[in-house]
Amino acid sequence: MGPSIQGFLCVLLVSFWSQADGLSRGPLLARRRRAPADGAEGAPKKCSYTFLVPEQKITGPICATKGPALPDKDRVTRMDVADVRDLLSKQQREMDALRLSVDVDGNLVNEMKLLRKESRNMNSRVTQLYMQLLHEIIRKRDNSLELALLEGRVLNATAESLRLASRYRELEARFSAGRRGQQPVVPENIPVHVPRYFNEIQRDHGRAFPRDRGSRAGPAPTGSTADILKPPEGNFSSEGPFRDCFQAMQAGHSTSGMFVLKPDGSEQAVQAWCEHDVDNGGWTVIQRRKDGSVNFFRNWDSYKKGFGNIDSEYWLGLEHIYNLGKQGDYRLLVEMEDWTEKKVYAEYSSFHLEPESESYRLRLGTYQGNAGDSLTSHNGKQFTTLDRDKDAFSGNCAHFHKGGWWYNACGQANLNGVWYNGGVYRSKFQDGIFWADYGGGFYSMKAVRMLIRPID
């Protein structure tokens, strides 16, 4: 029996019970209406009805009620049931749509994660390629610098050969004159070979040759030759290598130039420019900028070993600077020249570096000078390059300032930055050769030197 027939029988039973008086309330097996009490023969006969209701398990609400019939507005009709079913169907469709949307969003999230991972891998690869390109550029530039340095050495050797040839011709002329009856003038010492390296190279190769510094085999020649400064007694040769430029000055070298230095405890010698025309001389130049001919945007290994051209721009090398500083107490002098040819300086009472295990941490003393103190804020900081970030900034200061330095976060001095022509420059970053207390961060100095000397 379907639900519609059950509902119809239920309504019919309720209507029958409400209209019949004296109808029994017991179980519905068979019910009859009673005849009139008076039993008159002429009374009309009333019909009797018998309803058979099948027994079944009631699973829903009972439609019959003992009370009065509900008003029409409170009755549940088929339309109400259909509306509820429509609402349920609509909600089911919405739930299915939401479930589908969640599945789609989940797939999008997974795809986004994959894209981010691929992006990170791509960025890593681009960075690797950039570093390889940078190292290749630096290597080619180093090769060209080494070639230029070799050409300079060849020129120096050629000049020395010409000097020896000139002296030979002079001696030959004197010997010829002596054979014609004149008293010969023969120097006590004649060099018998051309040394492989020369401790001193003049600034201009076109000038006259420098006076003799002395000899290895005997005393200086007599006659019109200039007097030679006698080197102080010690366990070093007057030809070097020297522990620093101050010792070279003590050995009698008073003209600024290139010398071979070998600090105590170091394994190899290094060429450096010795400045003897500033503050009583004996200064070792550890850094020089003057024309932008050398690229200072280099990696850690280059800054450790040193690079550049001794006659022009160069960086002595962190390891060599560390070996120099550990020999004793040194002071630092920073000379700067702007584009109006005004020169200023900053001097620090002490200077040395810590070893490579501490990333060559900078140690400075007190400041004096007229350039302003822009280096004290870097005191105690480790050296940072593009491939070794040791600064206090969240990024890499060497990337922003295009050099290597004892950056803080990032700092007030950048003497190893980009050499810009004209002073004021336009750049996305402050990457020039600047000294913040003199000109600010967007004024690039024309020339800079960093020199060290033992404390008197």
Side-chain angles (χ1 to χ4, degrees):
M1 181 180 295
S4 60
I5 300 175
Q6 292 180 3
F8 174 74
L9 292 177
C10 183
V11 174
L12 185 60
L13 286 174
V14 171
S15 177
F16 174 76
W17 284 339
S18 62
Q19 294 177 3
D21 293 332
L23 187 64
S24 175
R25 305 291 181 178
L28 295 178
L29 297 176
R31 294 291 182 264
R32 300 179 75 109
R33 286 185 179 269
R34 295 181 180 178
D38 50 6
E41 295 181 357
K45 295 183 179 180
K46 296 182 180 181
C47 297
S48 62
Y49 301 93
T50 302
F51 298 93
L52 299 177
V53 179
E55 294 182 0
Q56 68 177 29
K57 186 177 180 180
I58 300 176
T59 58
I62 299 175
C63 298
T65 177
K66 296 181 180 180
L70 295 175
D72 294 339
K73 64 178 181 178
D74 294 333
R75 293 179 180 177
V76 178
T77 63
R78 295 181 182 179
M79 296 181 62
D80 296 333
V81 174
D83 293 339
V84 172
R85 289 178 177 176
D86 293 340
L87 181 59
L88 292 176
S89 300
K90 182 179 180 181
Q91 291 178 352
Q92 183 66 33
R93 290 193 299 271
E94 292 177 354
M95 291 177 63
D96 294 339
L98 289 175
R99 187 177 296 105
L100 179 61
S101 177
V102 169
D103 294 338
V104 172
D105 292 342
N107 294 332
L108 291 177
V109 170
N110 293 332
E111 292 179 1
M112 184 62 68
K113 290 181 179 179
L114 293 176
L115 289 176
R116 288 180 179 175
K117 184 177 180 180
E118 293 179 359
S119 177
R120 287 193 295 267
N121 295 336
M122 185 62 67
N123 292 336
S124 176
R125 180 59 179 167
V126 169
T127 303
Q128 183 181 2
L129 293 176
Y130 174 75
M131 290 299 300
Q132 292 178 356
L133 178 61
L134 179 62
H135 292 166
E136 185 67 20
I137 293 174
I138 292 174
R139 186 183 63 81
K140 290 184 179 180
R141 188 62 180 271
D142 289 340
N143 291 338
S144 63
L145 292 175
E146 291 178 0
L147 180 60
L149 183 60
L150 181 60
E151 291 176 354
R153 291 180 180 178
V154 173
L155 291 176
N156 293 336
T158 303
E160 184 66 16
S161 299
L162 292 175
R163 185 179 70 85
L164 293 176
S166 176
R167 292 189 63 183
Y168 174 78
R169 287 192 297 269
E170 181 183 354
L171 292 175
E172 186 179 18
R174 291 181 182 181
F175 178 74
S176 299
R179 291 183 62 182
R180 290 195 297 268
Q182 298 180 0
Q183 181 67 26
V185 180
V186 180
E188 299 182 9
N189 174 50
I190 299 177
V192 295
H193 70 283
V194 179
R196 184 177 180 181
Y197 297 102
F198 301 95
N199 290 333
E200 182 176 352
I201 296 179
Q202 295 298 318
R203 299 173 186 267
D204 188 357
H205 298 293
R207 297 179 182 175
F209 295 107
R211 60 183 177 86
D212 294 334
R213 294 293 183 186
S215 64
R216 298 179 181 179
T222 59
S224 60
T225 306
D227 296 336
I228 304 300
L229 295 176
K230 182 178 180 180
E233 296 181 357
N235 58 354
F236 57 89
S237 170
S238 61
E239 297 296 331
F242 306 102
R243 66 195 302 263
D244 56 16
C245 291
F246 184 76
Q247 190 181 67
M249 184 184 68
Q250 290 179 327
H253 300 280
S254 60
T255 302
S256 301
M258 184 176 65
F259 289 80
V260 177
L261 306 180
K262 190 174 187 299
D264 297 339
S266 61
E267 298 180 355
Q268 60 181 7
V270 62
Q271 291 179 329
W273 186 272
C274 292
E275 183 60 57
H276 300 305
D277 299 330
V278 174
D279 193 12
N280 299 324
W283 292 91
T284 303
V285 180
I286 63 175
Q287 185 258 22
R288 178 164 58 187
R289 309 295 302 275
K290 57 184 293 186
D291 53 12
S293 60
V294 176
N295 179 20
F296 274 66
F297 191 28
R298 296 175 178 254
N299 58 13
W300 179 268
D301 189 61
S302 295
Y303 269 100
K304 176 185 176 181
K305 297 180 180 178
F307 55 87
N309 190 349
I310 302 298
D311 293 330
S312 180
E313 295 190 340
Y314 78 96
W315 172 261
L316 186 61
L318 290 168
E319 187 66 22
H320 300 305
I321 299 173
Y322 162 71
N323 290 329
L324 286 170
K326 72 178 183 180
Q327 298 181 124
D329 297 330
Y330 283 76
R331 56 193 174 110
L332 172 67
L333 175 64
V334 181
E335 291 183 337
M336 291 171 282
E337 180 182 355
D338 63 14
W339 290 88
T340 63
E341 298 184 356
K342 179 181 178 180
K343 297 182 179 180
V344 293
Y345 76 96
E347 186 174 354
Y348 295 86
S349 61
S350 64
F351 168 85
H352 74 274
L353 302 181
E354 295 185 5
E356 185 179 11
S357 59
E358 291 294 325
S359 298
Y360 300 107
R361 192 185 302 273
L362 177 64
R363 297 299 183 187
L364 289 176
T366 57
Y367 157 82
Q368 66 174 359
N370 60 356
D373 185 11
S374 294
L375 196 58
T376 298
S377 62
H378 300 263
N379 187 22
K381 305 305 177 185
Q382 295 178 321
F383 202 84
T384 291
T385 58
L386 182 64
D387 57 340
R388 187 171 296 189
D389 186 3
K390 295 294 182 179
D391 55 53
F393 185 58
S394 58
N396 190 333
C397 293
H399 170 73
F400 298 113
H401 289 310
K402 302 297 186 295
W405 194 251
W406 298 276
Y407 293 115
N408 187 349
C410 287
Q412 297 181 341
N414 187 42
L415 302 186
N416 289 338
V418 180
W419 189 86
Y420 286 103
N421 190 6
V424 178
Y425 64 95
R426 292 183 178 181
S427 176
K428 184 178 180 181
F429 306 108
Q430 293 182 355
D431 52 7
I433 305 174
F434 68 84
W435 190 267
D437 286 279
Y438 187 86
F442 285 97
Y443 186 88
S444 185
M445 305 299 291
K446 180 180 180 181
V448 172
R449 289 197 307 179
M450 298 176 65
L451 311 91
I452 60 174
R453 184 183 190 273
I455 298 176
D456 298 332

